Amino acid sequence: MSSVRALGTSPGPDGRLRGFLKVFGIVLLLLAAGADVLFAGLDGGSWWPQTVVLPIGLAALLWPVARRPAWLTVTVRTAVPAVVSGAVTAAVFWSRQEVLSGPGELAVLLCLLLIAVRDCPVRWAAVCGVLDGAAVLALPYREAPGESSVNPFGMLLAVCAVAGVAGYLRALDHRRRVAVTETQRAERLAMAADLHDFVAHHVTGILVQSQVAQHLAMSDPERLAGILKDVERSATEALASMRRTVGLMREVRETGGTGRDPAGDLAVLPELVEGFGGPVGPKAALRRDPSVPDDLPHEVQAAAHRVVQEALTNVRRHAADATEVTVDLAYDGRALVVTVRDDGRGGTRLPAAARGGGFGLVGLTERVTALGGELRTGPRSDRRGWEVMAILPTEKTSW
């Protein structure tokens, strides 16, 4: 299994396949570039176009992301090699030289065309795409008229096909960004509704205690101090929740009210874990450290419940071969630590359409980080399954 599983998508094998395909593509690209150099030397041809264009194009494609300087934006990477290639073609054409075209520069320019249309900012995508496409279509003009080894019509088809695929991928990326944004917004609204319920509970308690205090002030003043302390505590917790509600709602517009399931808490976790295993499912166990208090803040309990719920759902989706799932709750005095481990190897009997779109943990991460906590997902240290860990601060100063 790989970190891809943490986002609810296909586990390890798909990640390894993508890595293999990436390495395979780089090898093919380098072999094609080498073929360009060999073609340039045939029949006493000129080497200089390949020595100018190929290093720039390969650097634009293969420069490691972590080491790219700030100025090497996607616009620069896709535009500069196309301009250089076009300038070389013009120089060759006007000097009436003949330079054989190989597959390397063509492959580099098509890759840059794909990147330009898919990843460039909207205002630059068309410009960089046209530059790369024009550079591809101009390659036949480096050879003598009527003797070109490249079919211009085939070049045009290749440019249109690559641009079409890139446009489709750009649309998919946009749809996913929109889906993630909507998931985060829905999660914020759900959190705000939970906090509203929590505040309403304490405000109602304050009202009732205030009414009782009025009667005790005349009949039993000695009991008044305890009630006032309860009122103070309830008011403090309600104010803390209200501050967080304002922060969560700052960028969220109100939409029409929709029904939603009530938030869970630690008290219902035994039922949740027991129901997950069932008669045919994996063995599921809940281990709650005695140090975990029952009166943790409502927001923390709701987040812990969601962590366990989403982790168990992902086990069912992506690790149907798991035989044992454990849920651990621990408390160190400052934070509740929720850990869900399974021993699955990533096998699943579910079809791809039933595995989810990867947005469950997007919303869960939003909830955990809003509490000032941290969500960690990845393979277990013993490589015998998967682990999801959430660290949820319980001190109000951390919120």
Side-chain angles (χ1 to χ4, degrees):
M1 292 183 291
S2 70
S3 60
V4 177
R5 176 177 157 188
L7 295 178
T9 56
S10 301
D14 288 344
R16 290 193 293 270
L17 177 61
R18 283 194 295 270
F20 172 78
L21 291 177
K22 182 177 179 180
V23 173
F24 183 69
I26 293 175
V27 172
L28 286 182
L29 194 62
L30 294 176
L31 290 176
D36 270 21
V37 177
L38 292 178
F39 288 163
L42 294 178
D43 297 328
S46 177
W47 297 71
W48 71 268
Q50 283 72 23
T51 58
V52 171
V53 178
L54 286 178
I56 297 176
L58 291 174
L61 284 176
L62 304 181
W63 199 312
V65 177
R67 297 184 179 181
R68 286 177 192 162
W71 57 266
L72 192 59
T73 63
V74 64
T75 303
V76 174
R77 290 169 53 217
T78 54
V80 170
V83 172
V84 172
S85 176
V88 168
T89 299
V92 171
F93 179 79
W94 290 109
S95 65
R96 300 188 181 276
Q97 295 180 347
E98 182 179 354
V99 177
L100 295 179
S101 298
E105 186 174 351
L106 174 62
V108 168
L109 290 174
L110 289 177
C111 290
L112 291 174
L113 173 62
L114 178 69
I115 296 173
V117 177
R118 180 180 183 181
D119 297 331
C120 276
V122 176
R123 67 177 66 181
W124 287 105
V127 175
C128 295
V130 169
L131 288 175
D132 287 310
V136 171
L137 297 177
L139 288 178
Y141 290 95
R142 295 185 184 178
E143 301 183 27
E147 299 181 5
S148 175
S149 59
V150 182
N151 185 353
F153 182 70
M155 302 275 275
L156 179 60
L157 286 180
V159 168
C160 293
V162 171
V165 171
Y168 174 71
L169 294 176
R170 187 184 186 102
L172 291 182
D173 292 341
H174 175 71
R175 288 171 55 185
R176 179 170 180 82
R177 286 194 297 269
V178 171
V180 169
T181 300
E182 292 300 321
T183 299
Q184 292 174 338
R185 179 174 299 181
E187 190 66 25
R188 288 191 183 102
L189 289 173
M191 291 175 63
D194 290 344
L195 292 169
H196 169 270
D197 296 341
F198 182 64
V199 172
H201 169 77
H202 282 287
V203 171
T204 302
I206 291 172
L207 176 61
V208 173
Q209 290 169 337
S210 299
Q211 292 173 340
V212 174
Q214 292 179 6
H215 293 287
L216 292 180
M218 301 297 297
S219 60
D220 193 358
E222 295 181 357
R223 296 177 54 191
L224 189 59
I227 293 180
L228 291 178
K229 289 182 179 179
D230 290 339
V231 169
E232 180 183 9
R233 177 178 52 81
S234 297
T236 301
E237 295 180 357
L239 286 173
S241 296
M242 288 174 65
R243 292 191 194 100
R244 292 193 59 251
T245 301
V246 172
L248 292 172
M249 297 295 291
R250 184 174 298 166
E251 298 181 357
V252 179
R253 295 180 180 180
E254 290 187 0
T255 57
T258 57
R260 64 181 185 86
D261 296 332
D265 55 22
L266 299 184
V268 299
L269 281 184
E271 180 180 355
L272 176 64
V273 175
E274 181 180 358
F276 171 77
V280 296
K283 180 181 178 181
L286 173 65
R287 298 184 299 202
R288 176 171 175 170
D289 192 276
S291 63
V292 178
D294 294 324
D295 58 346
L296 289 174
H298 172 82
E299 297 92 334
V300 174
Q301 295 197 47
H305 182 274
R306 284 293 309 278
V307 169
V308 175
Q309 185 180 51
E310 185 63 25
L312 294 179
T313 300
N314 277 350
V315 172
R316 183 171 283 119
R317 286 175 174 169
H318 308 296
D321 59 341
T323 60
E324 183 178 8
V325 180
T326 59
V327 179
D328 292 300
L329 301 179
Y331 183 68
D332 62 0
R334 295 180 300 175
L336 175 68
V337 180
V338 183
T339 307
V340 183
R341 299 183 179 91
D342 67 77
D343 61 353
R345 297 293 182 180
T348 177
R349 294 183 294 271
L350 296 177
R355 297 176 192 168
F359 302 127
L361 284 182
V362 172
L364 190 61
T365 302
E366 182 77 13
R367 176 182 286 258
V368 172
T369 54
L371 289 170
E374 181 181 4
L375 185 68
R376 304 173 184 171
T377 59
R380 292 169 49 175
S381 57
D382 55 6
R383 300 293 176 178
R384 295 181 54 194
W386 197 256
E387 178 179 275
V388 176
M389 175 184 293
I391 303 174
L392 303 169
T394 58
E395 296 179 348
K396 298 181 178 63
T397 55
S398 299
W399 302 348

